[in-house]
Amino acid sequence: MVSVIIPAYNEQENIENTAKVIGDILRENGNEYELLFVDDGSKDRTWEIIESLAAKDNSVRGIKFSRNFGKEGAIFAGLRSCDGDCAVVIDCDLQHPPELIPQMIKMHEQGVEVVEAVKSSRGKESLFYKMFAKSFYRIMNRSSNVDLDRASDFKLMDRKVIDALNDLPERITFFRALSSWVGFKCEKIEFEVAPRNAGSSKWNFRKLVKFALNNITSFTNFPMQIITWLGVLFLIFAAVIGIQSLVRFFSGTAQEGFTTVYILILLSASVIMIGLGVIGYYMSKIYEEIKFRPRYIISVDTKDRKRKETDHENGTNG
Ligand code: UDP
Ligand code: MG
């Protein structure tokens, strides 16, 4: 069976259509499947729609978070609760073409354990978003050896990979990178990013910056290394200035040079502050991890509810 994991946050316009499109494709392809919608604490009618679909259609299942925990949490909740031999993660807005799923499944049958769909272009994004994404991925690329520029969350994973991901102890995660970090036999297929089916993008600038900082700090120590190198550079600089001022002192011309002092104080103070900031950021990561909080909280799972209903029926009948 294939589990299709679909994170959804305020997607009331999309749920029904997405379920129908993906369901049709998989039925036509002759696959056994479950559609696992993970409602990431939506504020609109998303959950009601998922629930009514699940009541009508046995292959649809829904998990509802108690509040918005972010797409990463939704993906990992899906991975943890899916029952398939393999799982496909796909966006709810059909920006990832579901027509590719049969091809991904075929590759899985041929022994590929991770099928990654990569963007052949980045689709329609604002100039600002593009620049932001570019520089983020450049930093990630240089420092963590994982090529992410064209990567997306649209992937198929074998049960082995799902179990490996579920076994990771960390709670601040970056699915896109982790799924290649765990290794396994991996192949890529390309897709063209489609425009959003309905509704608007669920990201805003704050969320994006947070996402980028989170992922950079949980995947690399690069920013900390920059600071170290800056420190070395400043040490050399300070040595040169120090010798110069000593020479001046002994030759009796030590009056001037206040400018150098200002500059040095300002520069070193700024380096120290940057350094403290970076260390603080990594410290906060340690703090987050050490709290051992769950990365999401599930408030309703339609599967449990169904199980209860059947238990109840069995109870009354027997
Ligand atoms: N999403 C989510 N939680 C969030 C934000 C987004 O589960 O906090 C889901 C959203 O419902 C969609 C997918 O993640 O299925 C991608 O979101 P979106 O289309 O807004 O991102 P974009 O395609 O603009 O990168
Ligand atoms: Mg989208």
Side-chain angles (χ1 to χ4, degrees), residues 4-29:
V4 183
I5 297 165
I6 312 163
Y9 177 52
N10 294 343
E11 300 277 8
Q12 55 182 9
E13 305 94 340
N14 285 321
I15 302 287
E16 251 168 272
N17 179 255
T18 303
K20 188 180 168 310
V21 171
I22 299 179
D24 284 350
I25 288 173
L26 288 170
R27 259 193 310 276
E28 244 166 64
N29 195 45

PDB file of all heavy atoms in Angstrom, residues 4-29:
ATOM      1  N   VAL A   4      -0.168   8.386   1.040  1.00  0.00           N
ATOM      2  CA  VAL A   4       0.107   9.724   0.524  1.00  0.00           C
ATOM      3  C   VAL A   4      -0.097  10.709   1.671  1.00  0.00           C
ATOM      4  O   VAL A   4      -1.194  10.824   2.207  1.00  0.00           O
ATOM      5  CB  VAL A   4      -0.813  10.073  -0.664  1.00  0.00           C
ATOM      6  CG1 VAL A   4      -0.455  11.441  -1.225  1.00  0.00           C
ATOM      7  CG2 VAL A   4      -0.703   9.015  -1.741  1.00  0.00           C
ATOM      8  N   ILE A   5       0.974  11.376   2.066  1.00  0.00           N
ATOM      9  CA  ILE A   5       0.913  12.293   3.195  1.00  0.00           C
ATOM     10  C   ILE A   5       0.738  13.711   2.680  1.00  0.00           C
ATOM     11  O   ILE A   5       1.547  14.195   1.892  1.00  0.00           O
ATOM     12  CB  ILE A   5       2.200  12.181   4.041  1.00  0.00           C
ATOM     13  CG1 ILE A   5       2.313  10.768   4.621  1.00  0.00           C
ATOM     14  CG2 ILE A   5       2.210  13.227   5.141  1.00  0.00           C
ATOM     15  CD1 ILE A   5       3.678  10.450   5.162  1.00  0.00           C
ATOM     16  N   ILE A   6      -0.336  14.353   3.102  1.00  0.00           N
ATOM     17  CA  ILE A   6      -0.648  15.679   2.574  1.00  0.00           C
ATOM     18  C   ILE A   6      -0.793  16.674   3.718  1.00  0.00           C
ATOM     19  O   ILE A   6      -1.825  16.707   4.395  1.00  0.00           O
ATOM     20  CB  ILE A   6      -1.965  15.633   1.758  1.00  0.00           C
ATOM     21  CG1 ILE A   6      -1.930  14.454   0.782  1.00  0.00           C
ATOM     22  CG2 ILE A   6      -2.189  16.946   1.013  1.00  0.00           C
ATOM     23  CD1 ILE A   6      -3.268  14.063   0.231  1.00  0.00           C
ATOM     24  N   PRO A   7       0.241  17.488   3.983  1.00  0.00           N
ATOM     25  CA  PRO A   7       0.097  18.515   5.011  1.00  0.00           C
ATOM     26  C   PRO A   7      -0.853  19.599   4.518  1.00  0.00           C
ATOM     27  O   PRO A   7      -0.786  19.986   3.359  1.00  0.00           O
ATOM     28  CB  PRO A   7       1.513  19.077   5.182  1.00  0.00           C
ATOM     29  CG  PRO A   7       2.337  18.543   4.082  1.00  0.00           C
ATOM     30  CD  PRO A   7       1.547  17.541   3.317  1.00  0.00           C
ATOM     31  N   ALA A   8      -1.743  20.049   5.384  1.00  0.00           N
ATOM     32  CA  ALA A   8      -2.711  21.056   4.948  1.00  0.00           C
ATOM     33  C   ALA A   8      -2.895  22.105   6.037  1.00  0.00           C
ATOM     34  O   ALA A   8      -3.148  21.775   7.196  1.00  0.00           O
ATOM     35  CB  ALA A   8      -4.042  20.394   4.638  1.00  0.00           C
ATOM     36  N   TYR A   9      -2.721  23.343   5.650  1.00  0.00           N
ATOM     37  CA  TYR A   9      -2.936  24.439   6.586  1.00  0.00           C
ATOM     38  C   TYR A   9      -3.816  25.473   5.905  1.00  0.00           C
ATOM     39  O   TYR A   9      -3.409  26.070   4.908  1.00  0.00           O
ATOM     40  CB  TYR A   9      -1.591  25.033   7.004  1.00  0.00           C
ATOM     41  CG  TYR A   9      -1.680  26.228   7.916  1.00  0.00           C
ATOM     42  CD1 TYR A   9      -2.432  26.159   9.080  1.00  0.00           C
ATOM     43  CD2 TYR A   9      -1.014  27.398   7.613  1.00  0.00           C
ATOM     44  CE1 TYR A   9      -2.524  27.248   9.916  1.00  0.00           C
ATOM     45  CE2 TYR A   9      -1.093  28.497   8.449  1.00  0.00           C
ATOM     46  CZ  TYR A   9      -1.851  28.418   9.601  1.00  0.00           C
ATOM     47  OH  TYR A   9      -1.938  29.501  10.426  1.00  0.00           O
ATOM     48  N   ASN A  10      -5.008  25.667   6.403  1.00  0.00           N
ATOM     49  CA  ASN A  10      -5.994  26.565   5.789  1.00  0.00           C
ATOM     50  C   ASN A  10      -6.164  26.286   4.293  1.00  0.00           C
ATOM     51  O   ASN A  10      -5.947  27.143   3.464  1.00  0.00           O
ATOM     52  CB  ASN A  10      -5.590  28.028   5.993  1.00  0.00           C
ATOM     53  CG  ASN A  10      -5.635  28.416   7.457  1.00  0.00           C
ATOM     54  OD1 ASN A  10      -6.251  27.725   8.266  1.00  0.00           O
ATOM     55  ND2 ASN A  10      -5.005  29.513   7.785  1.00  0.00           N
ATOM     56  N   GLU A  11      -6.512  25.070   3.961  1.00  0.00           N
ATOM     57  CA  GLU A  11      -6.619  24.688   2.550  1.00  0.00           C
ATOM     58  C   GLU A  11      -8.044  24.278   2.201  1.00  0.00           C
ATOM     59  O   GLU A  11      -8.248  23.386   1.402  1.00  0.00           O
ATOM     60  CB  GLU A  11      -5.665  23.515   2.241  1.00  0.00           C
ATOM     61  CG  GLU A  11      -4.206  23.779   2.484  1.00  0.00           C
ATOM     62  CD  GLU A  11      -3.522  24.506   1.328  1.00  0.00           C
ATOM     63  OE1 GLU A  11      -4.226  24.941   0.394  1.00  0.00           O
ATOM     64  OE2 GLU A  11      -2.297  24.654   1.371  1.00  0.00           O
ATOM     65  N   GLN A  12      -9.058  24.912   2.792  1.00  0.00           N
ATOM     66  CA  GLN A  12     -10.430  24.457   2.590  1.00  0.00           C
ATOM     67  C   GLN A  12     -10.829  24.350   1.112  1.00  0.00           C
ATOM     68  O   GLN A  12     -11.610  23.493   0.748  1.00  0.00           O
ATOM     69  CB  GLN A  12     -11.419  25.359   3.334  1.00  0.00           C
ATOM     70  CG  GLN A  12     -11.307  26.816   2.977  1.00  0.00           C
ATOM     71  CD  GLN A  12     -12.283  27.675   3.771  1.00  0.00           C
ATOM     72  OE1 GLN A  12     -12.915  27.191   4.689  1.00  0.00           O
ATOM     73  NE2 GLN A  12     -12.399  28.933   3.412  1.00  0.00           N
ATOM     74  N   GLU A  13     -10.258  25.237   0.267  1.00  0.00           N
ATOM     75  CA  GLU A  13     -10.640  25.202  -1.152  1.00  0.00           C
ATOM     76  C   GLU A  13     -10.007  24.019  -1.873  1.00  0.00           C
ATOM     77  O   GLU A  13     -10.403  23.687  -2.982  1.00  0.00           O
ATOM     78  CB  GLU A  13     -10.202  26.482  -1.881  1.00  0.00           C
ATOM     79  CG  GLU A  13     -10.679  27.779  -1.270  1.00  0.00           C
ATOM     80  CD  GLU A  13      -9.624  28.356  -0.330  1.00  0.00           C
ATOM     81  OE1 GLU A  13      -8.735  27.584   0.118  1.00  0.00           O
ATOM     82  OE2 GLU A  13      -9.702  29.556  -0.029  1.00  0.00           O
ATOM     83  N   ASN A  14      -8.975  23.421  -1.277  1.00  0.00           N
ATOM     84  CA  ASN A  14      -8.190  22.435  -2.020  1.00  0.00           C
ATOM     85  C   ASN A  14      -8.447  20.975  -1.648  1.00  0.00           C
ATOM     86  O   ASN A  14      -8.272  20.095  -2.476  1.00  0.00           O
ATOM     87  CB  ASN A  14      -6.698  22.714  -1.822  1.00  0.00           C
ATOM     88  CG  ASN A  14      -6.242  23.911  -2.630  1.00  0.00           C
ATOM     89  OD1 ASN A  14      -6.668  24.105  -3.764  1.00  0.00           O
ATOM     90  ND2 ASN A  14      -5.402  24.724  -2.034  1.00  0.00           N
ATOM     91  N   ILE A  15      -8.848  20.747  -0.390  1.00  0.00           N
ATOM     92  CA  ILE A  15      -8.882  19.369   0.111  1.00  0.00           C
ATOM     93  C   ILE A  15      -9.647  18.418  -0.810  1.00  0.00           C
ATOM     94  O   ILE A  15      -9.106  17.409  -1.261  1.00  0.00           O
ATOM     95  CB  ILE A  15      -9.541  19.317   1.511  1.00  0.00           C
ATOM     96  CG1 ILE A  15      -8.780  20.205   2.488  1.00  0.00           C
ATOM     97  CG2 ILE A  15      -9.621  17.887   2.023  1.00  0.00           C
ATOM     98  CD1 ILE A  15      -7.466  19.673   2.930  1.00  0.00           C
ATOM     99  N   GLU A  16     -10.900  18.787  -1.103  1.00  0.00           N
ATOM    100  CA  GLU A  16     -11.747  17.857  -1.837  1.00  0.00           C
ATOM    101  C   GLU A  16     -11.168  17.536  -3.199  1.00  0.00           C
ATOM    102  O   GLU A  16     -11.042  16.384  -3.591  1.00  0.00           O
ATOM    103  CB  GLU A  16     -13.148  18.451  -1.997  1.00  0.00           C
ATOM    104  CG  GLU A  16     -14.153  17.716  -1.128  1.00  0.00           C
ATOM    105  CD  GLU A  16     -15.454  18.470  -1.047  1.00  0.00           C
ATOM    106  OE1 GLU A  16     -15.583  19.343  -0.161  1.00  0.00           O
ATOM    107  OE2 GLU A  16     -16.327  18.197  -1.881  1.00  0.00           O
ATOM    108  N   ASN A  17     -10.764  18.618  -3.903  1.00  0.00           N
ATOM    109  CA  ASN A  17     -10.211  18.453  -5.235  1.00  0.00           C
ATOM    110  C   ASN A  17      -8.932  17.601  -5.190  1.00  0.00           C
ATOM    111  O   ASN A  17      -8.776  16.658  -5.964  1.00  0.00           O
ATOM    112  CB  ASN A  17      -9.935  19.838  -5.823  1.00  0.00           C
ATOM    113  CG  ASN A  17      -9.340  19.753  -7.204  1.00  0.00           C
ATOM    114  OD1 ASN A  17      -8.144  19.978  -7.383  1.00  0.00           O
ATOM    115  ND2 ASN A  17     -10.150  19.393  -8.184  1.00  0.00           N
ATOM    116  N   THR A  18      -8.050  17.925  -4.252  1.00  0.00           N
ATOM    117  CA  THR A  18      -6.787  17.189  -4.150  1.00  0.00           C
ATOM    118  C   THR A  18      -7.043  15.710  -3.885  1.00  0.00           C
ATOM    119  O   THR A  18      -6.443  14.834  -4.525  1.00  0.00           O
ATOM    120  CB  THR A  18      -5.926  17.780  -3.017  1.00  0.00           C
ATOM    121  OG1 THR A  18      -5.723  19.162  -3.289  1.00  0.00           O
ATOM    122  CG2 THR A  18      -4.594  17.090  -2.910  1.00  0.00           C
ATOM    123  N   ALA A  19      -7.958  15.428  -2.946  1.00  0.00           N
ATOM    124  CA  ALA A  19      -8.263  14.034  -2.625  1.00  0.00           C
ATOM    125  C   ALA A  19      -8.776  13.309  -3.862  1.00  0.00           C
ATOM    126  O   ALA A  19      -8.397  12.164  -4.132  1.00  0.00           O
ATOM    127  CB  ALA A  19      -9.295  13.976  -1.505  1.00  0.00           C
ATOM    128  N   LYS A  20      -9.617  13.990  -4.629  1.00  0.00           N
ATOM    129  CA  LYS A  20     -10.210  13.363  -5.800  1.00  0.00           C
ATOM    130  C   LYS A  20      -9.136  13.101  -6.856  1.00  0.00           C
ATOM    131  O   LYS A  20      -9.012  11.992  -7.370  1.00  0.00           O
ATOM    132  CB  LYS A  20     -11.301  14.282  -6.381  1.00  0.00           C
ATOM    133  CG  LYS A  20     -12.106  13.623  -7.472  1.00  0.00           C
ATOM    134  CD  LYS A  20     -13.164  14.568  -8.003  1.00  0.00           C
ATOM    135  CE  LYS A  20     -13.782  14.046  -9.288  1.00  0.00           C
ATOM    136  NZ  LYS A  20     -12.826  13.632 -10.307  1.00  0.00           N
ATOM    137  N   VAL A  21      -8.338  14.140  -7.158  1.00  0.00           N
ATOM    138  CA  VAL A  21      -7.315  14.009  -8.200  1.00  0.00           C
ATOM    139  C   VAL A  21      -6.334  12.885  -7.866  1.00  0.00           C
ATOM    140  O   VAL A  21      -6.083  11.996  -8.683  1.00  0.00           O
ATOM    141  CB  VAL A  21      -6.558  15.348  -8.377  1.00  0.00           C
ATOM    142  CG1 VAL A  21      -5.359  15.172  -9.297  1.00  0.00           C
ATOM    143  CG2 VAL A  21      -7.486  16.412  -8.928  1.00  0.00           C
ATOM    144  N   ILE A  22      -5.792  12.921  -6.641  1.00  0.00           N
ATOM    145  CA  ILE A  22      -4.784  11.911  -6.281  1.00  0.00           C
ATOM    146  C   ILE A  22      -5.411  10.521  -6.215  1.00  0.00           C
ATOM    147  O   ILE A  22      -4.860   9.540  -6.710  1.00  0.00           O
ATOM    148  CB  ILE A  22      -4.105  12.273  -4.946  1.00  0.00           C
ATOM    149  CG1 ILE A  22      -3.398  13.619  -5.090  1.00  0.00           C
ATOM    150  CG2 ILE A  22      -3.097  11.196  -4.534  1.00  0.00           C
ATOM    151  CD1 ILE A  22      -2.703  14.096  -3.840  1.00  0.00           C
ATOM    152  N   GLY A  23      -6.622  10.438  -5.620  1.00  0.00           N
ATOM    153  CA  GLY A  23      -7.323   9.158  -5.534  1.00  0.00           C
ATOM    154  C   GLY A  23      -7.561   8.566  -6.919  1.00  0.00           C
ATOM    155  O   GLY A  23      -7.300   7.380  -7.143  1.00  0.00           O
ATOM    156  N   ASP A  24      -8.025   9.391  -7.840  1.00  0.00           N
ATOM    157  CA  ASP A  24      -8.292   8.909  -9.208  1.00  0.00           C
ATOM    158  C   ASP A  24      -7.028   8.354  -9.852  1.00  0.00           C
ATOM    159  O   ASP A  24      -7.037   7.272 -10.443  1.00  0.00           O
ATOM    160  CB  ASP A  24      -8.839  10.055 -10.076  1.00  0.00           C
ATOM    161  CG  ASP A  24     -10.299  10.355  -9.748  1.00  0.00           C
ATOM    162  OD1 ASP A  24     -10.888   9.548  -8.997  1.00  0.00           O
ATOM    163  OD2 ASP A  24     -10.823  11.376 -10.225  1.00  0.00           O
ATOM    164  N   ILE A  25      -5.947   9.126  -9.721  1.00  0.00           N
ATOM    165  CA  ILE A  25      -4.693   8.697 -10.346  1.00  0.00           C
ATOM    166  C   ILE A  25      -4.249   7.341  -9.800  1.00  0.00           C
ATOM    167  O   ILE A  25      -3.874   6.441 -10.565  1.00  0.00           O
ATOM    168  CB  ILE A  25      -3.589   9.755 -10.114  1.00  0.00           C
ATOM    169  CG1 ILE A  25      -3.883  10.995 -10.965  1.00  0.00           C
ATOM    170  CG2 ILE A  25      -2.217   9.196 -10.454  1.00  0.00           C
ATOM    171  CD1 ILE A  25      -2.969  12.145 -10.706  1.00  0.00           C
ATOM    172  N   LEU A  26      -4.325   7.185  -8.475  1.00  0.00           N
ATOM    173  CA  LEU A  26      -3.840   5.935  -7.874  1.00  0.00           C
ATOM    174  C   LEU A  26      -4.747   4.760  -8.186  1.00  0.00           C
ATOM    175  O   LEU A  26      -4.284   3.640  -8.401  1.00  0.00           O
ATOM    176  CB  LEU A  26      -3.674   6.115  -6.363  1.00  0.00           C
ATOM    177  CG  LEU A  26      -2.487   7.003  -5.993  1.00  0.00           C
ATOM    178  CD1 LEU A  26      -2.509   7.350  -4.521  1.00  0.00           C
ATOM    179  CD2 LEU A  26      -1.171   6.320  -6.351  1.00  0.00           C
ATOM    180  N   ARG A  27      -6.075   5.023  -8.216  1.00  0.00           N
ATOM    181  CA  ARG A  27      -7.010   3.936  -8.557  1.00  0.00           C
ATOM    182  C   ARG A  27      -6.769   3.472  -9.984  1.00  0.00           C
ATOM    183  O   ARG A  27      -6.697   2.282 -10.264  1.00  0.00           O
ATOM    184  CB  ARG A  27      -8.454   4.404  -8.395  1.00  0.00           C
ATOM    185  CG  ARG A  27      -9.091   3.928  -7.099  1.00  0.00           C
ATOM    186  CD  ARG A  27     -10.597   4.127  -7.119  1.00  0.00           C
ATOM    187  NE  ARG A  27     -10.978   5.482  -7.524  1.00  0.00           N
ATOM    188  CZ  ARG A  27     -11.022   6.522  -6.689  1.00  0.00           C
ATOM    189  NH1 ARG A  27     -10.740   6.356  -5.423  1.00  0.00           N
ATOM    190  NH2 ARG A  27     -11.359   7.710  -7.122  1.00  0.00           N
ATOM    191  N   GLU A  28      -6.600   4.454 -10.890  1.00  0.00           N
ATOM    192  CA  GLU A  28      -6.360   4.125 -12.293  1.00  0.00           C
ATOM    193  C   GLU A  28      -5.098   3.288 -12.446  1.00  0.00           C
ATOM    194  O   GLU A  28      -5.017   2.394 -13.271  1.00  0.00           O
ATOM    195  CB  GLU A  28      -6.184   5.420 -13.091  1.00  0.00           C
ATOM    196  CG  GLU A  28      -7.268   5.628 -14.132  1.00  0.00           C
ATOM    197  CD  GLU A  28      -7.238   7.051 -14.634  1.00  0.00           C
ATOM    198  OE1 GLU A  28      -6.225   7.431 -15.245  1.00  0.00           O
ATOM    199  OE2 GLU A  28      -8.218   7.780 -14.379  1.00  0.00           O
ATOM    200  N   ASN A  29      -4.106   3.634 -11.615  1.00  0.00           N
ATOM    201  CA  ASN A  29      -2.829   2.934 -11.688  1.00  0.00           C
ATOM    202  C   ASN A  29      -2.890   1.568 -10.998  1.00  0.00           C
ATOM    203  O   ASN A  29      -1.930   0.800 -11.027  1.00  0.00           O
ATOM    204  CB  ASN A  29      -1.757   3.821 -11.035  1.00  0.00           C
ATOM    205  CG  ASN A  29      -0.355   3.378 -11.366  1.00  0.00           C
ATOM    206  OD1 ASN A  29      -0.058   3.079 -12.520  1.00  0.00           O
ATOM    207  ND2 ASN A  29       0.498   3.307 -10.361  1.00  0.00           N
TER     208      ASN A  29
END
